[in-house]
Amino acid sequence: MQQATAIAHPNIALVKYWGKRDMRLNLPAVGSLSITLDALCTRTQVRFDSALSADRFILDGVDEDAGRVTACLDLLRAAARIDTRARVDSSNDFPTAAGLASSASGFAALVVAADAALGLGLTPHMLSRHARRGSGSAARSIFGGFVEMARGRREDGADAVAQPLLDAGAWPLEVLIAVTEQAAKPLASSAAMAATSESAPYYAAWVRSSRPDLRAARKAVLARDFDALADVSVHSCLKMHALMMSSRPPVLYWNAATVACMRRISALREAGLPVFYTIDAGPQVKAICKSEAHDAVEHALRSIAGVVEVRSSGLGGAARVVEEGA
Ligand code: PMV
């Protein structure tokens, strides 16, 4: 029996990935830039077992469809030249599929654990490439701190991988997550992306304008320029959501508390606090701030009607193996 356990953290995109240039290989239409969180965590054990006739995927104790897990594991099996099926046990210490990027940490932990179980010793570059097949954002969760994901040009996706931009410790921003809904989201990001690329009238403009956003965000991160990063991040977030809203049928992930959080965070920033927000494919609001603003932002978010929980996180490290064994 070949087995290993890995942990990985979710990441939050500041310049968003939305849209695919190749569905089968899961190649992004745009590059993206993210921060990896330390407080939230996925823990995944992969155990290859010749007695199994199919992969089994158990998420938080419940048997789930293993389709995407199998697609990802097939890449590692091919590299190891084996056909053995695996049992995958995964758990999240945060709500699954509610816009907290559980697929990012999930697939990053999966490939890191499978790589260790099979003794492949793949480079982070290859791990990122394989994780991307599970979920585009998972390619970024292989790394810690500030991470940039390339759109890539190649048709085989060899250059559509993430790479680290700046260590977590080099610019220790903090993140507060206002959870406004605990239930799983109604529409998965892949389906929503397909709807937008087929029907949103601004889709071409979205793809075209992502390059300057990425350049501005990269420059801001390397210069630790908070205001510049805040401006481009809020712009990228709202542009992505406007794109979703303009598709047919429309996609709207926000609820009333989501909007209340956005307004409150904007007001705090206007009053001089170093804080801005971002929102992914769900109703949760993530406030990114310098540490001196943390307590005021937390207090403000907790007082908003509809906010059921506020979680704090610093920036976290790379996906890593925590247990190996035969
Ligand atoms: O990686 P996916 O398929 O879950 O898509 C992620 C999409 C967003 O979270 C909305 C944006 C991003 O870049 O993470």
Side-chain angles (χ1 to χ4, degrees), residues 11-13 15-18 20 26 32 68 101 103-104 135-138 140 185 189-190 193 240 244 279-281:
N11 68 78
I12 293 176
V15 173
K16 305 294 187 189
Y17 147 55
W18 195 257
K20 301 183 198 288
N26 209 21
S32 54
R68 281 163 79 196
S103 66
S135 150
S137 54
R140 300 184 309 237
K185 66 190 172 204
S189 54
S190 288
M193 280 185 203
M240 178 184 76
M244 296 175 185
I279 304 157
D280 291 302

PDB file of all heavy atoms in Angstrom, residues 11-13 15-18 20 26 32 68 101 103-104 135-138 140 185 189-190 193 240 244 279-281, ligand 1:
ATOM      1  N   ASN A  11      -6.627  29.683  -1.554  1.00  0.00           N
ATOM      2  CA  ASN A  11      -6.075  30.994  -1.902  1.00  0.00           C
ATOM      3  C   ASN A  11      -7.209  31.881  -2.366  1.00  0.00           C
ATOM      4  O   ASN A  11      -8.279  31.397  -2.754  1.00  0.00           O
ATOM      5  CB  ASN A  11      -4.994  30.851  -2.975  1.00  0.00           C
ATOM      6  CG  ASN A  11      -5.555  30.421  -4.310  1.00  0.00           C
ATOM      7  OD1 ASN A  11      -6.121  31.220  -5.052  1.00  0.00           O
ATOM      8  ND2 ASN A  11      -5.427  29.122  -4.629  1.00  0.00           N
ATOM      9  N   ILE A  12      -6.950  33.169  -2.301  1.00  0.00           N
ATOM     10  CA  ILE A  12      -7.956  34.136  -2.737  1.00  0.00           C
ATOM     11  C   ILE A  12      -7.352  34.943  -3.878  1.00  0.00           C
ATOM     12  O   ILE A  12      -6.266  35.524  -3.720  1.00  0.00           O
ATOM     13  CB  ILE A  12      -8.320  35.075  -1.569  1.00  0.00           C
ATOM     14  CG1 ILE A  12      -9.036  34.269  -0.494  1.00  0.00           C
ATOM     15  CG2 ILE A  12      -9.183  36.233  -2.043  1.00  0.00           C
ATOM     16  CD1 ILE A  12      -9.354  35.068   0.726  1.00  0.00           C
ATOM     17  N   ALA A  13      -8.046  34.986  -4.993  1.00  0.00           N
ATOM     18  CA  ALA A  13      -7.526  35.741  -6.135  1.00  0.00           C
ATOM     19  C   ALA A  13      -7.781  37.231  -5.940  1.00  0.00           C
ATOM     20  O   ALA A  13      -8.888  37.639  -5.555  1.00  0.00           O
ATOM     21  CB  ALA A  13      -8.189  35.264  -7.416  1.00  0.00           C
ATOM     22  N   VAL A  15      -6.384  39.380  -8.534  1.00  0.00           N
ATOM     23  CA  VAL A  15      -6.732  39.539  -9.952  1.00  0.00           C
ATOM     24  C   VAL A  15      -7.339  38.193 -10.343  1.00  0.00           C
ATOM     25  O   VAL A  15      -6.708  37.146 -10.205  1.00  0.00           O
ATOM     26  CB  VAL A  15      -5.503  39.860 -10.824  1.00  0.00           C
ATOM     27  CG1 VAL A  15      -5.864  39.852 -12.310  1.00  0.00           C
ATOM     28  CG2 VAL A  15      -4.956  41.233 -10.432  1.00  0.00           C
ATOM     29  N   LYS A  16      -8.591  38.241 -10.793  1.00  0.00           N
ATOM     30  CA  LYS A  16      -9.377  37.017 -10.911  1.00  0.00           C
ATOM     31  C   LYS A  16      -9.138  36.220 -12.181  1.00  0.00           C
ATOM     32  O   LYS A  16      -8.939  36.794 -13.250  1.00  0.00           O
ATOM     33  CB  LYS A  16     -10.876  37.369 -10.884  1.00  0.00           C
ATOM     34  CG  LYS A  16     -11.326  38.161  -9.680  1.00  0.00           C
ATOM     35  CD  LYS A  16     -11.208  37.367  -8.404  1.00  0.00           C
ATOM     36  CE  LYS A  16     -11.836  38.128  -7.234  1.00  0.00           C
ATOM     37  NZ  LYS A  16     -11.532  37.449  -5.963  1.00  0.00           N
ATOM     38  N   TYR A  17      -9.228  34.915 -11.989  1.00  0.00           N
ATOM     39  CA  TYR A  17      -9.304  33.972 -13.115  1.00  0.00           C
ATOM     40  C   TYR A  17     -10.784  33.727 -13.371  1.00  0.00           C
ATOM     41  O   TYR A  17     -11.514  33.339 -12.460  1.00  0.00           O
ATOM     42  CB  TYR A  17      -8.577  32.693 -12.715  1.00  0.00           C
ATOM     43  CG  TYR A  17      -9.126  31.403 -13.291  1.00  0.00           C
ATOM     44  CD1 TYR A  17      -9.278  31.237 -14.664  1.00  0.00           C
ATOM     45  CD2 TYR A  17      -9.481  30.351 -12.450  1.00  0.00           C
ATOM     46  CE1 TYR A  17      -9.782  30.046 -15.177  1.00  0.00           C
ATOM     47  CE2 TYR A  17      -9.975  29.159 -12.953  1.00  0.00           C
ATOM     48  CZ  TYR A  17     -10.126  29.015 -14.316  1.00  0.00           C
ATOM     49  OH  TYR A  17     -10.624  27.844 -14.820  1.00  0.00           O
ATOM     50  N   TRP A  18     -11.227  33.971 -14.584  1.00  0.00           N
ATOM     51  CA  TRP A  18     -12.616  33.621 -14.936  1.00  0.00           C
ATOM     52  C   TRP A  18     -12.664  33.351 -16.421  1.00  0.00           C
ATOM     53  O   TRP A  18     -12.344  34.232 -17.224  1.00  0.00           O
ATOM     54  CB  TRP A  18     -13.583  34.755 -14.539  1.00  0.00           C
ATOM     55  CG  TRP A  18     -15.010  34.292 -14.536  1.00  0.00           C
ATOM     56  CD1 TRP A  18     -15.946  34.539 -15.493  1.00  0.00           C
ATOM     57  CD2 TRP A  18     -15.657  33.490 -13.537  1.00  0.00           C
ATOM     58  NE1 TRP A  18     -17.126  33.930 -15.153  1.00  0.00           N
ATOM     59  CE2 TRP A  18     -16.978  33.281 -13.961  1.00  0.00           C
ATOM     60  CE3 TRP A  18     -15.240  32.903 -12.341  1.00  0.00           C
ATOM     61  CZ2 TRP A  18     -17.889  32.523 -13.222  1.00  0.00           C
ATOM     62  CZ3 TRP A  18     -16.148  32.152 -11.605  1.00  0.00           C
ATOM     63  CH2 TRP A  18     -17.452  31.980 -12.044  1.00  0.00           C
ATOM     64  N   LYS A  20     -12.267  29.919 -19.527  1.00  0.00           N
ATOM     65  CA  LYS A  20     -11.280  28.902 -19.927  1.00  0.00           C
ATOM     66  C   LYS A  20     -10.973  29.034 -21.414  1.00  0.00           C
ATOM     67  O   LYS A  20     -11.873  29.267 -22.209  1.00  0.00           O
ATOM     68  CB  LYS A  20     -11.845  27.506 -19.655  1.00  0.00           C
ATOM     69  CG  LYS A  20     -12.203  27.260 -18.184  1.00  0.00           C
ATOM     70  CD  LYS A  20     -12.692  25.837 -17.989  1.00  0.00           C
ATOM     71  CE  LYS A  20     -13.462  25.631 -16.700  1.00  0.00           C
ATOM     72  NZ  LYS A  20     -12.669  25.644 -15.477  1.00  0.00           N
ATOM     73  N   ASN A  26      -8.436  22.354 -19.032  1.00  0.00           N
ATOM     74  CA  ASN A  26      -8.705  23.360 -18.004  1.00  0.00           C
ATOM     75  C   ASN A  26      -7.671  24.499 -18.057  1.00  0.00           C
ATOM     76  O   ASN A  26      -7.044  24.836 -17.052  1.00  0.00           O
ATOM     77  CB  ASN A  26      -8.714  22.699 -16.620  1.00  0.00           C
ATOM     78  CG  ASN A  26      -9.624  23.424 -15.661  1.00  0.00           C
ATOM     79  OD1 ASN A  26     -10.526  24.157 -16.069  1.00  0.00           O
ATOM     80  ND2 ASN A  26      -9.391  23.255 -14.373  1.00  0.00           N
ATOM     81  N   SER A  32      -3.831  35.202 -13.427  1.00  0.00           N
ATOM     82  CA  SER A  32      -4.433  35.643 -12.160  1.00  0.00           C
ATOM     83  C   SER A  32      -3.350  35.801 -11.085  1.00  0.00           C
ATOM     84  O   SER A  32      -2.212  35.353 -11.271  1.00  0.00           O
ATOM     85  CB  SER A  32      -5.495  34.640 -11.702  1.00  0.00           C
ATOM     86  OG  SER A  32      -4.960  33.333 -11.643  1.00  0.00           O
ATOM     87  N   ARG A  68     -13.609  14.016 -11.001  1.00  0.00           N
ATOM     88  CA  ARG A  68     -12.507  14.982 -11.155  1.00  0.00           C
ATOM     89  C   ARG A  68     -11.242  14.528 -10.426  1.00  0.00           C
ATOM     90  O   ARG A  68     -10.126  14.814 -10.836  1.00  0.00           O
ATOM     91  CB  ARG A  68     -12.946  16.362 -10.654  1.00  0.00           C
ATOM     92  CG  ARG A  68     -13.800  17.101 -11.674  1.00  0.00           C
ATOM     93  CD  ARG A  68     -14.541  18.238 -11.026  1.00  0.00           C
ATOM     94  NE  ARG A  68     -13.712  19.417 -10.819  1.00  0.00           N
ATOM     95  CZ  ARG A  68     -14.021  20.425 -10.006  1.00  0.00           C
ATOM     96  NH1 ARG A  68     -15.129  20.381  -9.294  1.00  0.00           N
ATOM     97  NH2 ARG A  68     -13.245  21.481  -9.894  1.00  0.00           N
ATOM     98  N   ALA A 101     -13.031  28.691  -1.729  1.00  0.00           N
ATOM     99  CA  ALA A 101     -11.949  28.077  -2.495  1.00  0.00           C
ATOM    100  C   ALA A 101     -11.555  26.687  -2.006  1.00  0.00           C
ATOM    101  O   ALA A 101     -10.386  26.338  -1.959  1.00  0.00           O
ATOM    102  CB  ALA A 101     -10.726  28.990  -2.531  1.00  0.00           C
ATOM    103  N   SER A 103     -12.051  23.955  -3.572  1.00  0.00           N
ATOM    104  CA  SER A 103     -11.504  23.140  -4.665  1.00  0.00           C
ATOM    105  C   SER A 103     -10.023  23.456  -4.868  1.00  0.00           C
ATOM    106  O   SER A 103      -9.252  22.582  -5.251  1.00  0.00           O
ATOM    107  CB  SER A 103     -12.292  23.322  -5.963  1.00  0.00           C
ATOM    108  OG  SER A 103     -12.146  24.623  -6.457  1.00  0.00           O
ATOM    109  N   ALA A 104      -9.618  24.685  -4.598  1.00  0.00           N
ATOM    110  CA  ALA A 104      -8.206  25.052  -4.761  1.00  0.00           C
ATOM    111  C   ALA A 104      -7.335  24.268  -3.784  1.00  0.00           C
ATOM    112  O   ALA A 104      -6.381  23.583  -4.175  1.00  0.00           O
ATOM    113  CB  ALA A 104      -8.019  26.550  -4.549  1.00  0.00           C
ATOM    114  N   SER A 135      -8.765  21.931 -10.809  1.00  0.00           N
ATOM    115  CA  SER A 135      -9.420  23.225 -10.663  1.00  0.00           C
ATOM    116  C   SER A 135      -8.377  24.306 -10.959  1.00  0.00           C
ATOM    117  O   SER A 135      -7.239  24.218 -10.477  1.00  0.00           O
ATOM    118  CB  SER A 135      -9.970  23.334  -9.236  1.00  0.00           C
ATOM    119  OG  SER A 135      -9.987  24.645  -8.782  1.00  0.00           O
ATOM    120  N   GLY A 136      -8.760  25.279 -11.772  1.00  0.00           N
ATOM    121  CA  GLY A 136      -7.800  26.301 -12.210  1.00  0.00           C
ATOM    122  C   GLY A 136      -7.100  26.972 -11.046  1.00  0.00           C
ATOM    123  O   GLY A 136      -5.877  27.151 -11.043  1.00  0.00           O
ATOM    124  N   SER A 137      -7.859  27.322 -10.021  1.00  0.00           N
ATOM    125  CA  SER A 137      -7.279  28.037  -8.893  1.00  0.00           C
ATOM    126  C   SER A 137      -6.373  27.136  -8.036  1.00  0.00           C
ATOM    127  O   SER A 137      -5.546  27.632  -7.272  1.00  0.00           O
ATOM    128  CB  SER A 137      -8.384  28.652  -8.030  1.00  0.00           C
ATOM    129  OG  SER A 137      -9.312  27.660  -7.659  1.00  0.00           O
ATOM    130  N   ALA A 138      -6.524  25.817  -8.154  1.00  0.00           N
ATOM    131  CA  ALA A 138      -5.697  24.890  -7.367  1.00  0.00           C
ATOM    132  C   ALA A 138      -4.221  24.985  -7.738  1.00  0.00           C
ATOM    133  O   ALA A 138      -3.341  24.742  -6.914  1.00  0.00           O
ATOM    134  CB  ALA A 138      -6.186  23.457  -7.553  1.00  0.00           C
ATOM    135  N   ARG A 140      -2.578  27.522  -8.016  1.00  0.00           N
ATOM    136  CA  ARG A 140      -1.957  28.563  -7.183  1.00  0.00           C
ATOM    137  C   ARG A 140      -1.731  28.083  -5.756  1.00  0.00           C
ATOM    138  O   ARG A 140      -0.838  28.587  -5.070  1.00  0.00           O
ATOM    139  CB  ARG A 140      -2.834  29.830  -7.188  1.00  0.00           C
ATOM    140  CG  ARG A 140      -3.047  30.429  -8.598  1.00  0.00           C
ATOM    141  CD  ARG A 140      -3.834  31.739  -8.533  1.00  0.00           C
ATOM    142  NE  ARG A 140      -5.051  31.616  -7.776  1.00  0.00           N
ATOM    143  CZ  ARG A 140      -6.274  31.895  -8.239  1.00  0.00           C
ATOM    144  NH1 ARG A 140      -6.466  32.342  -9.465  1.00  0.00           N
ATOM    145  NH2 ARG A 140      -7.328  31.742  -7.459  1.00  0.00           N
ATOM    146  N   LYS A 185     -22.779  26.546  -2.621  1.00  0.00           N
ATOM    147  CA  LYS A 185     -23.278  27.504  -3.615  1.00  0.00           C
ATOM    148  C   LYS A 185     -24.158  26.813  -4.652  1.00  0.00           C
ATOM    149  O   LYS A 185     -23.970  25.631  -4.958  1.00  0.00           O
ATOM    150  CB  LYS A 185     -22.110  28.223  -4.263  1.00  0.00           C
ATOM    151  CG  LYS A 185     -21.216  27.342  -5.089  1.00  0.00           C
ATOM    152  CD  LYS A 185     -19.974  28.113  -5.463  1.00  0.00           C
ATOM    153  CE  LYS A 185     -18.956  27.223  -6.131  1.00  0.00           C
ATOM    154  NZ  LYS A 185     -17.599  27.694  -6.042  1.00  0.00           N
ATOM    155  N   SER A 189     -18.395  26.933 -10.198  1.00  0.00           N
ATOM    156  CA  SER A 189     -17.693  27.936 -10.999  1.00  0.00           C
ATOM    157  C   SER A 189     -17.511  27.507 -12.462  1.00  0.00           C
ATOM    158  O   SER A 189     -17.612  28.348 -13.358  1.00  0.00           O
ATOM    159  CB  SER A 189     -16.357  28.291 -10.355  1.00  0.00           C
ATOM    160  OG  SER A 189     -15.600  27.144 -10.122  1.00  0.00           O
ATOM    161  N   SER A 190     -17.285  26.214 -12.716  1.00  0.00           N
ATOM    162  CA  SER A 190     -17.089  25.787 -14.114  1.00  0.00           C
ATOM    163  C   SER A 190     -18.327  26.060 -14.955  1.00  0.00           C
ATOM    164  O   SER A 190     -18.228  26.570 -16.079  1.00  0.00           O
ATOM    165  CB  SER A 190     -16.795  24.290 -14.184  1.00  0.00           C
ATOM    166  OG  SER A 190     -15.512  24.064 -13.707  1.00  0.00           O
ATOM    167  N   MET A 193     -18.672  29.772 -15.449  1.00  0.00           N
ATOM    168  CA  MET A 193     -17.695  30.272 -16.428  1.00  0.00           C
ATOM    169  C   MET A 193     -18.158  29.969 -17.845  1.00  0.00           C
ATOM    170  O   MET A 193     -18.023  30.807 -18.736  1.00  0.00           O
ATOM    171  CB  MET A 193     -16.335  29.599 -16.224  1.00  0.00           C
ATOM    172  CG  MET A 193     -15.544  30.188 -15.103  1.00  0.00           C
ATOM    173  SD  MET A 193     -13.912  29.408 -15.056  1.00  0.00           S
ATOM    174  CE  MET A 193     -13.496  29.719 -13.342  1.00  0.00           C
ATOM    175  N   MET A 240     -15.320  41.116 -12.760  1.00  0.00           N
ATOM    176  CA  MET A 240     -15.700  39.709 -12.912  1.00  0.00           C
ATOM    177  C   MET A 240     -17.180  39.504 -12.570  1.00  0.00           C
ATOM    178  O   MET A 240     -17.911  38.808 -13.283  1.00  0.00           O
ATOM    179  CB  MET A 240     -14.834  38.823 -12.007  1.00  0.00           C
ATOM    180  CG  MET A 240     -15.220  37.351 -12.080  1.00  0.00           C
ATOM    181  SD  MET A 240     -14.292  36.316 -10.937  1.00  0.00           S
ATOM    182  CE  MET A 240     -15.084  36.694  -9.376  1.00  0.00           C
ATOM    183  N   MET A 244     -20.415  38.260 -14.877  1.00  0.00           N
ATOM    184  CA  MET A 244     -21.371  37.194 -14.538  1.00  0.00           C
ATOM    185  C   MET A 244     -22.808  37.701 -14.628  1.00  0.00           C
ATOM    186  O   MET A 244     -23.687  37.021 -15.133  1.00  0.00           O
ATOM    187  CB  MET A 244     -21.135  36.725 -13.101  1.00  0.00           C
ATOM    188  CG  MET A 244     -19.805  36.093 -12.837  1.00  0.00           C
ATOM    189  SD  MET A 244     -19.761  35.793 -11.044  1.00  0.00           S
ATOM    190  CE  MET A 244     -18.107  35.190 -10.865  1.00  0.00           C
ATOM    191  N   ILE A 279     -14.369  39.280  -3.658  1.00  0.00           N
ATOM    192  CA  ILE A 279     -15.437  38.268  -3.562  1.00  0.00           C
ATOM    193  C   ILE A 279     -15.248  37.269  -4.703  1.00  0.00           C
ATOM    194  O   ILE A 279     -15.019  37.672  -5.841  1.00  0.00           O
ATOM    195  CB  ILE A 279     -16.831  38.925  -3.709  1.00  0.00           C
ATOM    196  CG1 ILE A 279     -17.009  40.037  -2.679  1.00  0.00           C
ATOM    197  CG2 ILE A 279     -17.952  37.892  -3.577  1.00  0.00           C
ATOM    198  CD1 ILE A 279     -18.038  41.052  -3.090  1.00  0.00           C
ATOM    199  N   ASP A 280     -15.350  35.980  -4.382  1.00  0.00           N
ATOM    200  CA  ASP A 280     -15.210  34.967  -5.432  1.00  0.00           C
ATOM    201  C   ASP A 280     -16.580  34.398  -5.817  1.00  0.00           C
ATOM    202  O   ASP A 280     -17.574  35.093  -5.687  1.00  0.00           O
ATOM    203  CB  ASP A 280     -14.197  33.909  -4.980  1.00  0.00           C
ATOM    204  CG  ASP A 280     -12.803  34.525  -4.948  1.00  0.00           C
ATOM    205  OD1 ASP A 280     -12.371  35.013  -6.002  1.00  0.00           O
ATOM    206  OD2 ASP A 280     -12.179  34.559  -3.885  1.00  0.00           O
ATOM    207  N   ALA A 281     -16.610  33.163  -6.284  1.00  0.00           N
ATOM    208  CA  ALA A 281     -17.868  32.594  -6.774  1.00  0.00           C
ATOM    209  C   ALA A 281     -18.741  32.135  -5.610  1.00  0.00           C
ATOM    210  O   ALA A 281     -19.010  30.952  -5.432  1.00  0.00           O
ATOM    211  CB  ALA A 281     -17.575  31.458  -7.733  1.00  0.00           C
TER     212      ALA A 281
HETATM  213  O1  PMV B   1     -10.683  27.236  -9.820  1.00  0.00           O
HETATM  214  P1  PMV B   1     -12.144  27.351  -9.954  1.00  0.00           P
HETATM  215  O2  PMV B   1     -12.680  26.581 -11.100  1.00  0.00           O
HETATM  216  O3  PMV B   1     -12.872  27.031  -8.677  1.00  0.00           O
HETATM  217  O4  PMV B   1     -12.492  28.894 -10.277  1.00  0.00           O
HETATM  218  C1  PMV B   1     -12.103  29.955  -9.440  1.00  0.00           C
HETATM  219  C2  PMV B   1     -12.802  31.192  -9.777  1.00  0.00           C
HETATM  220  C3  PMV B   1     -12.685  32.354  -8.794  1.00  0.00           C
HETATM  221  O5  PMV B   1     -12.485  31.882  -7.484  1.00  0.00           O
HETATM  222  C4  PMV B   1     -13.978  33.140  -8.816  1.00  0.00           C
HETATM  223  C5  PMV B   1     -11.558  33.305  -9.193  1.00  0.00           C
HETATM  224  C6  PMV B   1     -10.165  32.842  -8.887  1.00  0.00           C
HETATM  225  O6  PMV B   1      -9.255  33.281  -9.600  1.00  0.00           O
HETATM  226  O7  PMV B   1      -9.952  32.085  -7.927  1.00  0.00           O
END
